[in-house]
Amino acid sequence: MKTQVGIIGAGPSGLLLSQILHLHGIRSVVLERRSRDYVLSRIRAGVLEQGFTDMLRAAQVGARMDREGQIHEGFDIAFGGKRHRIDLAALTGGKTVMVYGQTEVQRDLFAARDAMGGTIITEAEDVTPHDVAGAAPYLTYRKDGSEGRIDCEFVAGCDGFHGVSRKAIPESVLKNFERVYPFGWLGILSETAPVSDELIYMNHERGFALASLRSANLSRYYIQSAAEEDLAQWPDERFWEEFRRRLPAEAAAKLVTGPSVEKSVAPLRSFVCEPMRYGRLFLAGDAAHIVPPTGAKGLNLAASDIHFLSRGLIDYFRKGDESGLQRYSEKALARIWKAERFSWWMTHLLHVFPENAGFGERIQRAELEYLVSSRAALTSLAENYVGLPFE
Ligand code: FAD
Ligand code: DHB
């Protein structure tokens, strides 16, 4: 099979790229290791920046999000038992975020690609990029026991942190930057009314907690946990008890509990690889970088990579202009490092770090108190949370 852009991975990065390219008359094929049901069963991010929602609308996949998603104008930070509202709209000149699950974004992207006749090959095993440093790259894979080959002009590595694309870049070229945090997030999804209409990020002596939501009857709650937890040790009752203890008292009194419909643990990590281009291979999204989830940036960063990459590819195929592709890595990384800084900062602001007992705890409390008392500090938090500009 021949195409213009071979895309590895049908996560949000890969599908959004394929959709945008299609709307500009550029052909692509997406190779995905998992089944579609598996991809759609993953519960991940829930907060979308305005830049991302604008991209989804422009890519003709925003209609259901605009009907079913919730616009949030603020969120709360709680510490010392008190809630403090961060008025995003007032602090940013009217900017807001959209609460709409990544799972739903995936569903909308699959539906749009199907409606437009897009080629997505799922359950593709052993996907391997070849000759990406040369003029004629190609991908090989196995599906149902037969070998497949896709010849393409460019390869987009959208295959997440554990994918094969990054590994196709020689070690002598690639530089990795990493910080692993000594904890994880244990999260549950439950078909109960959310404890609050807006998100609450909680700093508590027992550890961080987050009250988030998907809809009026679907709550998403997280607690700081060990980086690896045996989920069998976390029956729902234990989760609810621990989560309730970290909520401010008036919220705890309103908490509605019920059976979880999903429960998982995610380790926290900051990671960036440089550069994001090697020959005709371009990395995007989690394939190139990871943020701890505290600032809700992972999915949004994947989208800004696709913004830069799709523009570079469109300029190349439409006008023969290679400058966007040449500058892709540099432009994407400039924004990524700012989001890395913000996610790292918000993680330090809100979590209990075992090594921080004593002085570190007092500094953290001072930082929280300064934050909620300073319009300058709040403005900095708000402008990062709603998303920095793409350019
Ligand atoms: P992914 O969504 O990882 O998609 C990559 C795709 O490539 C997957 O479908 C995968 O199956 C496929 N793939 C992998 N290897 C291969 C291969 N060899 N061949 C073919 N296909 C392959 N962000 C937040 O902002 N908030 C959160 O709460 C949050 N929670 C998260 C929880 C978890 C467990 C994880 C892993 C991530 C979470 N994130 C969160 C981050 C956010 O979900 C990601 O940043 C986002 O999914 C990135 O999209 P992506 O398309 O780049 O990568
Ligand atoms: C959600 C996840 C986040 O990491 C975050 O910062 C806010 C919300 C969520 O899953 O709803």
Side-chain angles (χ1 to χ4, degrees), residues 5 13 31 56 64 76 86-87 104 117 128 133 144 146 152 165 182 201-202 230 250 260 266 275 290-291 368 378 385:
V5 182
S13 306
L31 289 178
L56 291 173
R64 192 164 71 93
D76 280 0
I86 315 298
D87 190 337
E104 304 310 316
T128 312
D144 301 331
S146 346
C152 48
S165 303
Y201 288 84
M202 288 161 265
D230 174 7
E250 44 64 50
S260 63
I290 296 288
V291 286
L368 282 161
L378 285 170
Y385 194 85

Side-chain angles (χ1 to χ4, degrees), residues 76-368:
D76 280 0
I77 288 187
F79 61 94
K82 288 210 188 73
R83 288 164 74 163
H84 303 265
R85 183 159 190 272
I86 315 298
D87 190 337
L88 294 173
L91 290 160
T92 61
K95 296 208 176 101
T96 57
V97 292
M98 173 80 77
V99 170
Y100 189 65
Q102 178 170 335
T103 316
E104 304 310 316
V105 174
Q106 286 266 194
R107 204 179 289 286
D108 296 343
L109 283 165
F110 273 122
R113 296 315 299 125
D114 288 348
M116 294 179 190
T119 309
I120 303 168
I121 301 171
T122 52
E123 295 171 271
E125 294 168 62
D126 291 335
V127 175
T128 312
H130 301 269
D131 292 353
V132 292
Y138 62 98
L139 302 173
T140 55
Y141 63 99
R142 212 157 19 84
K143 164 114 180 154
D144 301 331
S146 346
E147 305 290 323
R149 171 174 168 141
I150 295 170
D151 290 279
C152 48
E153 291 180 53
F154 295 102
V155 174
C158 300
D159 48 352
F161 184 64
H162 300 287
V164 288
S165 303
R166 193 174 65 251
K167 294 173 192 136
I169 303 181
E171 274 178 30
S172 57
V173 173
L174 207 61
K175 203 159 178 196
N176 293 333
F177 301 85
E178 185 169 44
R179 170 142 310 176
V180 176
Y181 299 88
F183 41 73
W185 279 19
L186 174 64
I188 67 162
L189 192 66
S190 97
E191 287 167 341
T192 49
V195 70
S196 164
D197 293 343
E198 292 185 339
L199 276 69
I200 317 174
Y201 288 84
M202 288 161 265
N203 169 260
H204 190 277
E205 62 196 16
R206 295 182 64 85
F208 168 81
L210 170 62
S212 183
L213 65 157
R214 293 289 179 272
S215 67
N217 196 42
L218 197 54
S219 299
R220 179 71 167 156
Y221 298 136
Y222 299 94
I223 54 172
Q224 178 180 348
S225 66
E228 284 176 22
E229 288 278 0
D230 174 7
L231 292 177
Q233 301 300 314
W234 282 96
D236 291 351
E237 304 69 45
R238 182 174 172 208
F239 180 91
W240 288 120
E241 189 188 317
E242 187 58 45
F243 180 68
R244 192 197 305 274
R245 291 173 82 165
R246 300 185 192 185
L247 279 171
E250 44 64 50
K254 282 193 286 189
L255 180 67
V256 182
T257 64
S260 63
V261 290
E262 194 263 1
K263 190 183 288 158
S264 52
V265 65
L268 265 66
R269 176 197 307 269
S270 297
F271 173 85
V272 182
C273 83
E274 296 182 359
M276 288 167 65
R277 173 193 187 170
Y278 178 65
R280 290 177 167 262
L281 167 68
F282 294 84
L283 302 181
D286 279 16
H289 44 79
I290 296 288
V291 286
T294 326
K297 290 286 163 248
L299 175 59
N300 292 298
L301 267 188
S304 64
D305 289 355
I306 296 306
H307 166 81
F308 296 123
L309 182 55
S310 61
R311 292 221 334 208
L313 288 166
I314 292 162
D315 285 350
Y316 174 83
F317 283 111
R318 292 281 138 259
K319 300 187 249 165
D321 174 1
E322 276 191 56
S323 61
L325 291 179
Q326 302 285 13
R327 291 206 320 273
Y328 167 68
S329 182
E330 182 197 333
K331 287 191 100 172
L333 282 166
R335 192 173 187 279
I336 288 158
W337 274 112
K338 289 180 194 140
E340 290 282 347
R341 183 208 68 84
F342 176 66
S343 307
W344 165 88
W345 173 79
M346 213 164 146
T347 301
H348 279 263
L349 179 73
L350 293 166
H351 290 74
V352 172
F353 282 73
E355 71 271 24
N356 263 3
F359 182 80
E361 278 169 4
R362 288 289 190 279
I363 290 289
Q364 185 185 56
R365 176 52 71 92
E367 176 136 31
L368 282 161

Side-chain angles (χ1 to χ4, degrees), residues 47-61:
V47 176
L48 315 185
E49 295 171 0
Q50 228 164 285
F52 184 20
T53 58
D54 290 344
M55 270 180 89
L56 291 173
R57 291 184 194 103
Q60 301 178 16
V61 281

